[in-house]
């Protein structure tokens, strides 16, 4: 069996989960051939992990530039970096013949970019796979939206420490529970570019970024993220609750997507 080739952009904790899955033979249909990160050391760490594990032939290369990674012509490029990286990577990768598996779905809140990516993928006979990350239920969201007259909300609860890098933060959040944002998914990803990608993912599966109502609540001492998605039409009311204490579920959702791509039975 000829294995499909993978490359990874963004070599942090989530990339490490994917490397561990490769080493555990959970992705036997794939071979990791290239890694890239802003830190070459991080890229080498992931490459070394698989070269010393499942790929004894030392076939994975740590790349010092995005152009070097694209030259590998991997069948699938996994993006686990940031929405900005996703914007830089996507069009060149698709034109180069690589499909993309992405966690930084927030980049697609820009409708013009989303449409350009879609047309580029069609033209080059490749795909962009939006992984579920820390949520789920894309199937029921898409189905309810297809039925018409659909509304959707996305409410998330976080600890104040996870909000320190954003303008909504102040020290009172350490002792006071407060809703720090209400708006739509497009506004949310602008304010929290690395924290609410899942709200954009849910919006793309349902009513769109400008129609998905989003709220963010800060709770003192809270660990992890608690997401609640509600989708309603005249016949269906679906509620999807997902709590995760760490971000590991996002990395494993990439593994699940890769397994689904090659599976003879698709969920």
């Amino acid at each position: 069996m000829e294995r499909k080739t993978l490359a990874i952009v963004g070599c942090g904790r989530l990339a490490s989960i994917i490397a561990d899955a490769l080493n555990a033979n959970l992705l036997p249909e794939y071979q990791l051939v290239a890694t890239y990160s802003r830190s070459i050391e991080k890229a080498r760490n992931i490459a070394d992990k698989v070269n010393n594990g499942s790929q004894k032939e030392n076939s994975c290369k740590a790349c010092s530039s995005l152009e070097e990674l694209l030259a590998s012509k991997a069948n699938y490029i996994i993006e686990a970096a940031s929405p900005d990286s996703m914007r830089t990577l996507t069009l060149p990768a698709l034109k180069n013949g690589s499909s993309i598996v992405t966690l930084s779905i927030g980049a697609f809140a820009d409708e013009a970019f989303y449409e350009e990516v879609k047309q580029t993928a069609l033209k080059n006979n490749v795909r962009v796979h939006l992984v579920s990350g820390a949520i789920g239920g894309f199937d029921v969201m898409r189905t309810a939206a297809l039925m018409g007259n659909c509304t959707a909300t996305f409410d998330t609860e976080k600890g104040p420490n996870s909000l320190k890098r954003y303008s909504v933060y102040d020290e009172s959040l350490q002792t006071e529970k407060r809703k720090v944002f209400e708006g739509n998914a497009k506004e949310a990803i602008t304010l929290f570019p690395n924290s609410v990608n899942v709200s954009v993912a849910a919006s793309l599966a349902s009513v769109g970024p400008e129609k998905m109502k989003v709220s963010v609540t800060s709770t003192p001492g809270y660990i992890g993220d608690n997401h609640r998605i509600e989708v309603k039409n005249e016949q269906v009311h679906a509620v999807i609750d997902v709590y995760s204490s760490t971000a590991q579920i996002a990395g494993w959702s990439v593994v699940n997507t890769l397994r689904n791509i090659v599976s003879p039975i698709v969920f």
Side-chain angles (χ1 to χ4, degrees):
M1 177 186 67
E2 184 176 350
R3 289 185 291 176
K4 298 183 183 300
T5 53
L6 293 177
I8 296 179
V9 174
C11 295
R13 288 175 296 171
L14 302 184
S16 187
I17 289 170
I18 298 160
D20 287 340
L22 285 161
N23 285 342
N25 202 34
L26 294 175
L27 297 168
E29 299 89 354
Y30 297 94
Q31 176 183 4
L32 186 64
V33 296
T35 60
Y36 171 68
S37 186
R38 287 182 297 179
S39 163
I40 188 64
E41 285 304 315
K42 287 186 176 181
R44 287 194 187 113
N45 287 341
I46 299 300
D48 289 347
K49 178 174 277 200
V50 295
N51 285 335
N52 295 328
S54 60
Q55 299 179 185
K56 301 294 186 183
E57 65 275 23
N58 291 325
S59 55
C60 182
K61 179 181 181 181
C63 300
S64 57
S65 68
L66 185 57
E67 290 73 23
E68 188 178 2
L69 178 128
L70 291 175
S72 72
K73 291 193 172 291
N75 298 130
Y76 294 91
I77 297 177
I78 300 166
E79 181 283 317
S82 68
D84 284 343
S85 295
M86 179 62 179
R87 283 181 169 276
T88 301
L89 163 71
T90 303
L91 294 176
L94 296 175
K95 291 174 183 177
N96 200 46
S98 297
S99 290
I100 294 176
V101 178
T102 182
L103 283 162
S104 297
I105 301 166
F108 292 132
D110 181 335
E111 293 178 5
F113 179 65
Y114 179 78
E115 188 61 31
E116 186 177 11
V117 168
K118 184 165 68 173
Q119 294 305 319
T120 303
L122 282 169
K123 184 177 179 180
N124 291 277
N125 196 31
V126 289
R127 290 184 171 183
V128 177
H129 299 270
L130 310 184
V131 303
S132 57
I135 59 170
F138 284 173
D139 52 351
V140 71
M141 285 186 251
R142 294 182 71 191
T143 301
L146 282 171
M147 294 169 71
N149 297 320
C150 185
T151 61
T153 60
F154 188 102
D155 302 303
T156 187
E157 184 176 14
K158 297 175 175 289
N161 289 338
S162 69
L163 299 171
K164 281 185 173 180
R165 60 184 132 167
Y166 303 119
S167 61
V168 300
Y169 179 80
D170 64 63
E171 284 298 322
S172 68
L173 293 177
Q174 296 293 344
T175 55
E176 173 191 343
K177 181 175 181 176
R178 191 163 78 237
K179 189 173 288 187
V180 296
F181 174 81
E182 282 187 288
N184 62 36
K186 189 170 184 177
E187 294 164 338
I189 197 65
T190 300
L191 187 59
F192 308 100
N194 296 301
S195 295
V196 292
N197 280 284
V198 283
S199 71
V200 177
S203 75
L204 293 173
S206 56
V207 296
E210 293 189 356
K211 292 183 179 179
M212 169 68 82
K213 297 178 182 177
V214 177
S215 73
V216 178
T217 298
S218 174
T219 299
Y222 199 82
I223 302 298
D225 295 302
N226 189 44
H227 304 303
R228 166 166 284 202
I229 306 158
E230 288 196 58
V231 180
K232 296 180 183 179
N233 62 32
E234 294 173 356
Q235 302 171 68
V236 174
H237 179 194
V239 180
I240 301 152
D241 283 316
V242 182
Y243 168 76
S244 54
S245 60
T246 71
Q248 286 197 24
I249 188 174
W252 284 106
S253 73
V254 174
V255 176
N256 180 61
T257 297
L258 291 171
R259 285 168 63 95
N260 217 23
I261 286 170
V262 297
S263 175
I265 299 174
V266 180
F267 288 92

